[in-house]
Amino acid sequence: MVSGSSETSPEIKANLGSRRVAPLRAASFPDAGAAVSTLTSSVRPPGSVDVMLVNPPSPDGGIWIRSQHRVGRRSRENMIWPQVSLAQLAALLVPDYTVAVVDAITTRMSWEAFEQLLDEKQPKYYLTQVTAPTLRNDLRGVFVAKAVGAQTLAFGTHVTPMTLETMRPFPALDYVLRGEPEATLRELLDVLEGRVPVDDRVEKIVRDTRGRRSERRPELVEGVGDQRSEVGGRRSSADVGLLTSDISPLTSVRGLAWRRGEEIVINPDRAFVPELDDLPMPLHELLPLDQQRMPMLKGPFTFIVTSRGCPAGCTYCIKHVSYQNSVRLRSPQLIVEELQILSDMGIHNVHMYADLFTVNREQVMALCEGILDAKLTVHWTCNSRVDYVDEAMLKLMGRAGCHLISWGIESANEQILKRARKGYRKAQAALALTWAHEAGVKNWGYFIIGLPGESEESIQETIVYSKTLPLDIALFHIAAPYPGTPFFFEVVENGWFRPDTRWEEVDMDQSTVLDYGNLTAEQLIYWQKRATREWSFRPGPMWTFLKSMNSWAGFKSAVNVGWQTLKFVGG
C-alpha cells in the first residue's frame, strides 16, 4: 500500500509482490531418486562383471612394481611386474563369478581410460592392491569404483599392518583382506552373495585356512564371537549392545576387516594356505601377456609362483608382514606343468616368483631335472640369497635355462649386515656370484644404502665392493621403513622419521623419510645417486646396457632406462 493513500490502486493490486509474505514452513525437499527407482533395470548391462581385480594406473604414468607381498616402488629398470596374484585370485572365483583382471600398469592405461572402463564393466566388487608409496593413488580407484556402485576391497602389504589407519581416512573402502587374500576373498564373496561353494577344491582351501584362534593385538578392542572391533579407541555401552545383538555373518570370515555403520571391525587373522598345490593354476590368459617385458629378456614373459615365505630374518623385509616365518613349496611337477601351459601359449620367458627361490635345494634340483626331462625351451630368472646356493645347483640351474639371478647383497659392511640380521658372511657373496657367472647365469645385485649403523665411510665401502663383484646389473636403493617390519618399529622408537612424513614418501627408490644423527635424508639421496653413477658409467655395465637392445621393444626400453638414469643421477 502506498503511504498516504486510503485505497489500493488497481495497478498495485495487480503486482503480486504487494501481497503478504507467507509464514515460514518446515523444509520438505523432493525425493527425485524415489521417483526414478522403478525405472532402473534390475538387469546389469552387457559387458558388466561380478568382480574386477585391479592393478590401478600409476601416480605418474610410469611403471610401478606392485604385488601381493611386495612393498611397491617405481621400476627404474622398466621391469613390468606381471599380476599373477590377480590371475590366481581369478582362478578361485571362476566359473561361479564373472571376473575381469585389469593391469593398468602393463597396458599403460591412463586414469581417464580406467574410469571409462569402470563405467563399462560396472563391477559389483572392486578389488585393488595398495602399497605405501601409492596409497592415495590406489585409493583413488576405490573412490571411483564406489561412485559406480561397486563394493570395494583392498589387499596388500600396506593395508594388512595399517588396516585401521587406511580405512579411517578412506571411507570409500568397504573391506580389507588382511594377509593372504585368496581364501578370504572367496569366502567373503560367498557370504555376501549367500552362496555355498560348489567347488570342492575351493571349499577345502577355505576350510583349511580358517585357522586357530589368533593372538589379539593390544590396540584393538575385543568383540563378541572371537571378533575384534575398534571405535575411536574405546567401546561405549551402546557399542557393546550392538555387538551382542547384531551378529553379522561377516564375523565368521577370518582375515577380514569390514564396516558396521561407523565401526571398523577386524576379525581374527586367517591361517596361511598350508598346501600351495591346493590352489588352482593362475588364469594367465587373463593377463596382457604380450605386453609384459623384462630387461635383458627378448619377448614377453610372466611369473610362476614356486613358493611363499622365507626363513631369513632381515629386519627391513616385508616378509615380516606378508608370510612371516612360514615357508611353503609348490611341487616341481606342478611348476613344470604350468611351464608347459605357458609354452603352449607362446610364453617361453618366465620369472620364478618367490620370496626366496632357492629356499629348498631338493625342490630346485627336481624342478631343473623336470625342465630338462620335458625338453622345455624356457629362459627363466629367479632370486636367491648367497648362502642358499652351491656350485652344483647353480650349474644345473644354468643347464635348465636359468638366465639371471637377482641377489640381495645390501652392504659390504659386516656390522651393518649383522645388525640388519641379513645372516650371511661377506665372503659368500663373491663366491656365489662367481659360481653363477661360471655357470653362464647373469647376476643382478641389489644394494641398500642407509640401514642402521650406516656412515659415509660404509657407503663408500659398499660402492667399491659392488665394482669388484661379477655383476651385470646393480640397483642401489635407500632403506625404507615399511609399516610392520622390525626396521619400521626401530625407526619409530629412535625418532628417525623426518617430521611430517607422508606414506607416499616411504619409498626405497624415489625418496627417503630417514634422518639419522650422522646422515641426513639429503646425504642418503646424494649417496644413492653417486653409487648409481659410479657403478653404471663404466665399460662393463655400459656394454650390458647396449646388449639389452636386442629387439625394438628392448631398444625403446633401454633408451627410456638410460634417460631415467641420467635424470636420476643428475637430479
Side-chain angles (χ1 to χ4, degrees):
M1 182 179 295
V2 179
S3 176
S5 176
S6 59
E7 295 183 3
T8 303
S9 68
E11 292 83 359
I12 293 176
K13 286 183 179 180
N15 180 357
L16 297 181
S18 66
R19 300 184 183 182
R20 185 182 300 276
V21 175
L24 182 65
R25 297 180 181 180
S28 179
F29 302 109
D31 185 358
V36 300
S37 62
T38 56
L39 303 178
T40 303
S41 173
S42 60
V43 179
R44 303 181 67 221
S48 62
V49 295
D50 295 327
V51 187
M52 182 180 282
L53 308 166
V54 175
N55 186 30
S58 69
D60 56 6
I63 297 173
W64 283 73
I65 288 175
R66 273 186 293 216
S67 190
Q68 179 169 313
H69 58 269
R70 287 290 187 259
V71 291
R73 67 174 176 85
R74 201 181 197 283
S75 179
R76 206 175 345 129
E77 67 276 25
N78 271 9
M79 178 179 177
I80 294 292
W81 209 255
Q83 296 301 301
V84 67
S85 57
L86 299 183
Q88 179 74 81
L89 290 167
L92 271 169
L93 301 178
V94 172
D96 300 319
Y97 299 93
T98 57
V99 303
V101 174
V102 180
D103 183 359
I105 299 293
T106 299
T107 58
R108 309 305 289 269
M109 187 182 296
S110 67
W111 271 106
E112 182 181 6
F114 182 73
E115 292 183 18
Q116 182 178 345
L117 183 64
L118 270 171
D119 281 332
E120 294 171 1
K121 294 296 182 182
Q122 293 286 310
K124 292 178 68 176
Y125 303 100
Y126 173 96
L127 176 63
T128 187
Q129 305 184 73
V130 177
T131 68
T134 57
L135 175 61
R136 286 185 290 184
N137 175 83
D138 300 343
L139 272 297
R140 174 182 175 180
V142 167
F143 178 83
V144 177
K146 192 73 174 175
V148 300
Q151 294 192 59
T152 57
L153 304 81
F155 73 103
T157 53
H158 186 75
V159 296
T160 292
M162 302 291 286
T163 305
L164 297 173
E165 292 76 6
T166 305
M167 295 186 76
R168 281 188 191 127
F170 297 101
L173 179 58
D174 297 319
Y175 304 98
V176 164
L177 313 179
R178 289 161 50 86
E180 282 185 314
E182 287 91 357
T184 304
L185 173 63
R186 177 62 199 232
E187 187 174 2
L188 171 62
L189 295 188
D190 287 343
V191 167
L192 293 174
E193 293 292 316
R195 177 194 295 271
V196 176
V198 295
D199 188 327
D200 291 340
R201 176 183 52 189
V202 170
E203 191 172 11
K204 178 181 185 300
I205 293 168
V206 172
R207 183 178 66 248
D208 288 351
T209 57
R210 284 189 182 275
R212 293 199 224 164
R213 188 181 185 91
S214 308
E215 180 181 348
R216 290 181 165 84
R217 284 167 36 197
E219 70 271 23
L220 300 175
V221 182
E222 293 190 10
V224 173
D226 206 21
Q227 78 179 29
R228 297 174 287 180
S229 64
E230 195 279 344
V231 193
R234 62 178 182 173
R235 189 175 62 191
S236 67
S237 58
D239 298 324
V240 175
L242 178 64
L243 287 170
T244 56
S245 63
D246 184 25
I247 302 300
S248 165
L250 293 175
T251 60
S252 66
V253 182
R254 288 179 177 265
L256 178 69
W258 52 288
R259 298 181 188 274
R260 179 164 47 199
E262 295 183 0
E263 177 190 16
I264 297 172
V265 179
I266 300 182
N267 293 351
D269 292 332
R270 183 181 292 272
F272 295 114
V273 176
E275 298 292 339
L276 296 185
D277 282 0
D278 289 338
L279 293 170
M281 288 282 187
L283 297 179
H284 290 282
E285 61 270 25
L286 297 182
L287 302 178
L289 295 173
D290 60 329
Q291 299 179 65
Q292 296 174 175
R293 292 290 192 275
M294 178 180 176
M296 303 176 67
L297 283 180
K298 188 175 182 178
F301 87 114
T302 196
F303 284 174
I304 286 184
V305 174
T306 60
S307 64
R308 289 182 180 177
C310 173
C314 308
T315 58
Y316 51 84
C317 183
I318 203 66
K319 65 146 269 185
H320 296 279
V321 172
S322 52
Y323 304 135
Q324 295 159 19
N325 292 317
S326 71
V327 174
R328 290 148 297 149
L329 309 174
R330 286 183 74 202
S331 66
Q333 295 79 12
L334 269 183
I335 299 172
V336 171
E337 182 181 337
E338 190 169 353
L339 283 168
Q340 184 64 66
I341 291 172
L342 288 170
S343 179
D344 294 342
M345 296 170 63
I347 304 298
H348 304 288
N349 297 314
V350 169
H351 176 67
M352 303 296 184
Y353 186 43
D355 297 279
L356 175 56
F357 171 71
T358 57
V359 67
N360 183 274
R361 187 181 193 274
E362 182 180 355
Q363 181 211 33
V364 173
M365 299 295 278
L367 172 59
C368 291
E369 294 288 0
I371 292 172
L372 292 170
D373 290 345
K375 296 181 172 56
L376 287 172
T377 301
V378 56
H379 295 89
W380 52 276
T381 64
C382 67
N383 70 353
S384 185
R385 285 174 54 98
V386 299
D387 52 348
Y388 271 72
V389 294
D390 57 69
E391 188 174 12
M393 185 173 76
L394 288 168
K395 284 182 177 179
L396 183 59
M397 288 168 61
R399 286 178 50 217
C402 182
H403 172 74
L404 177 148
I405 300 175
S406 58
W407 310 87
I409 302 168
E410 323 312 3
S411 175
N413 186 279
E414 296 273 14
Q415 292 305 310
I416 291 174
L417 293 173
K418 184 176 181 180
R419 183 168 176 177
R421 299 179 188 171
K422 184 63 185 177
Y424 80 85
R425 299 185 310 279
K426 180 179 174 180
Q428 291 175 291
L431 186 60
L433 270 62
T434 299
W435 284 338
H437 180 74
E438 292 174 349
V441 178
K442 298 186 185 303
N443 292 313
W444 185 327
Y446 286 91
F447 298 87
I448 298 178
I449 289 171
L451 288 168
E454 191 82 272
S455 65
E456 291 191 321
E457 290 73 25
S458 63
I459 295 173
Q460 293 177 67
E461 180 184 352
T462 297
I463 296 174
V464 171
Y465 181 60
S466 70
K467 299 175 188 177
T468 68
L469 297 173
L471 288 170
D472 297 277
I473 304 177
L475 278 182
F476 295 85
H477 297 300
I478 299 179
Y482 291 102
T485 62
F487 179 40
F488 168 81
F489 292 110
E490 186 178 3
V491 170
V492 171
E493 182 179 349
N494 288 280
W496 292 333
F497 269 116
R498 301 201 85 179
D500 303 319
T501 292
R502 294 182 297 107
W503 289 121
E504 285 84 353
E505 295 172 316
V506 183
D507 182 355
M508 68 173 72
D509 192 62
Q510 296 290 298
S511 61
T512 181
V513 298
L514 297 174
D515 236 334
Y516 294 115
N518 65 322
L519 279 174
T520 65
E522 289 76 15
Q523 286 175 296
L524 290 173
I525 292 171
Y526 163 78
W527 282 108
Q528 179 197 23
K529 293 181 177 182
R530 178 167 170 177
T532 301
R533 183 170 60 249
E534 285 195 25
W535 191 90
S536 301
F537 298 150
R538 297 179 299 128
M542 293 297 291
W543 176 236
T544 298
F545 172 78
L546 292 173
K547 286 192 296 184
S548 68
M549 299 181 181
N550 52 15
S551 64
W552 176 238
F555 173 80
K556 290 190 295 182
S557 177
V559 170
N560 183 265
V561 168
W563 174 242
Q564 287 190 66
T565 302
L566 288 172
K567 286 200 304 181
F568 175 74
V569 299

